[in-house]
């Protein structure tokens, strides 16, 4: 009986010992497996996700969108070269009046000037008669010497000095006549060009002196539009002069030429000032196309033609570089030239015409040849033509 109990007790003891050993083994083996599994999971990290956009560079024509102020190409102060009394004023000779080239604006009383012409003509006639008389006397003197058979080389005997003096007197009288006739013509002031009357400082019947300022004219045959161009935009300009510049003011459109820089910079903005010339700003030849001096206008200037340009979002360019995706799904940076800025986009010039995969969205930290996972962007940028800068 006891032997039987000892056999059963031995078997239970052996079973408990085996279970205990298994639990103990599991206690040591399982944590080590977990530790090993945790280390391997730390080594396998997910790759950063990016989105890309396919960009194909192409030729692009752009416009510099600028602002400018219309100014006269020239101004002239009205003044006479002779003195006199104002006898006539043109009806349009008032501030704001517009007259065509050659219009008589002011006429002086011609009496004194006409009298001066008459006196000058009389002097010419007298000098001409005296010259003829001296020529006749010289002929007589030469004939007398020939009859007396006493040839002489003395100029006085031949009355040559007297003839020369009479000839000089005639020349002086003729010059005085031309001056008197010119002064008579100067009694009328004619507009030297199609003009806007900016100022009038004379009245009918007023006696004026030589050189007195009577008013001011502005040339409306042409005008200058002064536009400011920033330093970063200067490289976009083609060789001057630039034609087909559009000047727009409240849907009144003129076409002009950007011809030159004034050679100085603005003290406030440091921008360069350029001149755009337009013809007939007040619409004398083209009815309904009047742009007045002093108006603020919009100016569109054609830029260079870019061979490999593309329009992309501002955030895609960082410090003059863009990020692209290589065939091995790694990141590569590429330097680019920004040739134009817009509100939300920039125009860049790429090194070649080959399409590129431009990184649209990327992690904050990127580096060269970094491997990435790509999520194709739904945004597909394409090049545009005729964009404004």
């Amino acid at each position: 009986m006891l032997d039987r109990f000892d056999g059963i007790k031995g078997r239970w003891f052996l079973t408990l010992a085996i279970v205990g050993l298994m639990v103990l083994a599991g206690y040591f083996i399982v944590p080590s497996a977990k530790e090993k599994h945790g280390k391997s999971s730390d080594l396998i990290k997910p790759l950063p996700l990016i989105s890309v956009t396919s960009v194909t560079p192409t030729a692009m024509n752009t416009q510099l969108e600028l602002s400018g102020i219309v100014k006269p190409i020239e101004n002239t102060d009205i003044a006479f070269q002779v003195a006199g009394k104002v006898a006539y004023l043109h009806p349009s000779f008032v501030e704001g009046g517009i007259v065509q080239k050659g219009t008589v604006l002011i006429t002086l009383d011609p009496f004194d000037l006409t009298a001066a012409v008459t006196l000058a003509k009389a002097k010419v006639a007298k000098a001409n008669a005296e010259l003829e008389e001296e020529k006749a006397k010289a002929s007589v003197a030469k004939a007398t010497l020939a009859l007396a058979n006493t040839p002489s080389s003395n100029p006085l005997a031949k009355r040559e000095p007297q003839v020369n003096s009479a000839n000089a007197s005639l020349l002086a009288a003729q010059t005085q006549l031309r001056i008197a006739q010119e002064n008579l013509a100067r009694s009328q002031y004619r507009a030297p060009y199609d003009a806007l009357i900016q100022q009038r400082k004379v009245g009918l019947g007023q006696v004026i002196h030589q050189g007195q300022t009577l008013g001011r004219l502005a040339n409306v045959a042409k005008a200058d539009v002064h536009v400011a161009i920033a330093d970063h935009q200067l490289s976009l300009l083609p060789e001057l002069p630039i034609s087909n510049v559009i000047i727009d003011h409240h849907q009144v459109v003129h076409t002009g030429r950007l011809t030159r820089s004034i050679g100085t910079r603005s003290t406030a903005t440091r921008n360069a000032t350029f001149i755009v010339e337009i013809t007939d700003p007040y619409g004398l030849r083209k009815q309904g196309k009047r742009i007045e001096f002093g108006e603020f206008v919009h100016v569109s200037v054609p830029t260079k033609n870019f061979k490999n340009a593309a329009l992309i979002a501002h955030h895609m360019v960082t410090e003059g570089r863009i990020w692209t995706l290589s065939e091995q799904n790694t990141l590569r940076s590429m330097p680019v030239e920004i040739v134009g800025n817009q509100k939300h986009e920039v125009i860049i010039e790429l090194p070649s015409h080959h399409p590129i995969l431009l990184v649209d969205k990327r992690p904050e930290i990127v580096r060269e040849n970094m491997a990435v996972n790509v999520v194709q962007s739904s945004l597909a940028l394409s090049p545009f033509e005729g964009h404004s800068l």
Side-chain angles (χ1 to χ4, degrees):
M1 183 75 177
L2 185 60
D3 295 336
R4 183 181 178 186
F5 176 79
D6 290 338
I8 296 173
K9 185 178 180 181
R11 288 195 296 270
W12 274 104
F13 179 79
L14 181 60
T15 301
L16 289 175
I18 294 172
V19 171
L21 289 173
M22 291 177 64
V23 171
L24 186 62
Y27 177 78
F28 287 101
I29 293 173
V30 172
S32 62
K34 289 183 178 179
E35 182 179 356
K36 182 177 180 181
H37 179 71
K39 290 182 179 179
S40 62
S41 64
D42 290 341
L43 294 175
I44 303 174
K45 294 182 178 180
L47 295 176
L49 298 179
I50 66 168
S51 64
V52 296
T53 299
S54 178
V55 174
T56 302
T58 187
M60 185 180 295
N61 298 321
T62 60
Q63 299 280 333
L64 272 178
E65 301 300 334
L66 308 170
S67 298
I69 299 176
V70 182
K71 296 184 180 182
I73 195 171
E74 60 183 331
N75 296 96
T76 302
D77 289 331
I78 299 174
F80 278 91
Q81 292 178 271
V82 294
K85 180 180 179 180
V86 176
Y88 169 79
L89 294 173
H90 193 278
S92 295
F93 184 49
V94 291
E95 291 188 9
I98 295 180
V99 294
Q100 293 185 348
K101 180 179 180 180
T103 302
V104 177
L105 301 180
I106 308 174
T107 300
L108 301 180
D109 187 342
F111 177 79
D112 292 342
L113 299 174
T114 302
V117 171
T118 302
L119 288 175
K121 287 181 178 180
K123 289 181 179 179
V124 169
K126 181 180 179 181
N128 191 45
E130 289 176 351
L131 176 60
E132 294 299 324
E133 181 180 355
E134 287 300 331
K135 286 182 178 179
K137 289 180 179 180
S139 297
V140 171
K142 291 178 182 179
T144 302
L145 291 173
L147 290 173
N149 198 19
T150 55
S152 173
S153 60
N154 189 349
L156 287 174
K158 299 178 182 180
R159 298 190 64 85
E160 290 179 358
Q162 292 84 340
V163 171
N164 292 337
S165 177
N167 198 15
S169 297
L170 176 60
L171 181 60
Q174 290 173 338
T175 302
Q176 289 178 349
L177 175 59
R178 285 196 295 270
I179 293 173
Q181 290 172 333
E182 186 64 28
N183 286 337
L184 179 60
R186 290 169 179 167
S187 65
Q188 291 184 330
Y189 187 92
R190 297 178 180 272
Y193 40 67
D194 294 342
L196 168 71
I197 311 301
Q198 290 186 311
Q199 191 179 47
R200 168 179 158 176
K201 299 193 297 183
V202 64
L204 192 65
Q206 180 177 342
V207 177
I208 60 135
H209 57 77
Q210 181 180 357
Q212 179 181 344
T213 301
L214 308 179
R216 188 173 178 83
L217 304 177
N219 192 338
V220 296
K222 292 184 178 181
D224 287 342
V225 181
H226 291 232
V227 296
I229 302 180
D231 281 340
H232 71 274
Q233 296 173 318
L234 294 178
S235 61
L236 306 180
L237 295 178
E239 185 177 353
L240 300 182
I242 304 173
S243 301
N244 298 322
V245 177
I246 304 300
I247 298 92
D248 186 3
H249 179 69
H250 298 316
Q251 298 183 348
V252 176
V253 179
H254 282 251
T255 302
R257 291 195 319 154
L258 192 149
T259 58
R260 68 190 188 281
S261 166
I262 65 172
T264 58
R265 296 298 181 98
S266 167
T267 56
T269 64
R270 312 309 303 168
N271 290 338
T273 301
F274 281 75
I275 302 298
V276 178
E277 291 184 355
I278 59 175
T279 59
D280 193 23
Y282 275 71
L284 296 184
R285 306 290 182 268
K286 301 175 182 178
Q287 296 298 323
K289 290 196 172 184
R290 175 166 173 157
I291 297 180
E292 297 183 348
F293 298 134
E295 286 186 328
F296 201 66
V297 296
H298 180 263
V299 181
S300 298
V301 180
T303 65
K304 295 177 181 176
N305 292 325
F306 303 103
K307 295 182 179 179
N308 304 309
L311 185 69
I312 65 173
H314 272 284
H315 72 271
M316 295 183 182
V317 183
T318 304
E319 298 180 352
R321 305 180 76 85
I322 59 174
W323 289 91
T324 63
L325 183 68
S326 69
E327 295 179 355
Q328 293 76 29
N329 275 14
T330 58
L331 295 183
R332 292 181 181 176
S333 65
M334 176 188 300
V336 293
E337 180 183 0
I338 297 177
V339 297
N341 286 277
Q342 298 193 66
K343 187 175 181 180
H344 301 295
E345 298 163 320
V346 292
I347 299 175
I348 61 172
E349 179 82 356
L350 295 171
S352 70
H353 65 278
H354 298 294
I356 61 172
L357 289 177
L358 181 64
V359 177
D360 182 10
K361 296 180 181 179
R362 61 179 185 268
E364 292 185 3
I365 300 176
V366 292
R367 62 180 183 274
E368 290 285 346
N369 298 319
M370 184 174 75
V372 291
N373 280 335
V374 180
V375 177
Q376 182 65 40
S377 174
S378 60
L379 175 64
L381 292 180
S382 58
F384 292 85
E385 292 189 358
H387 260 267
S388 301
L389 305 182

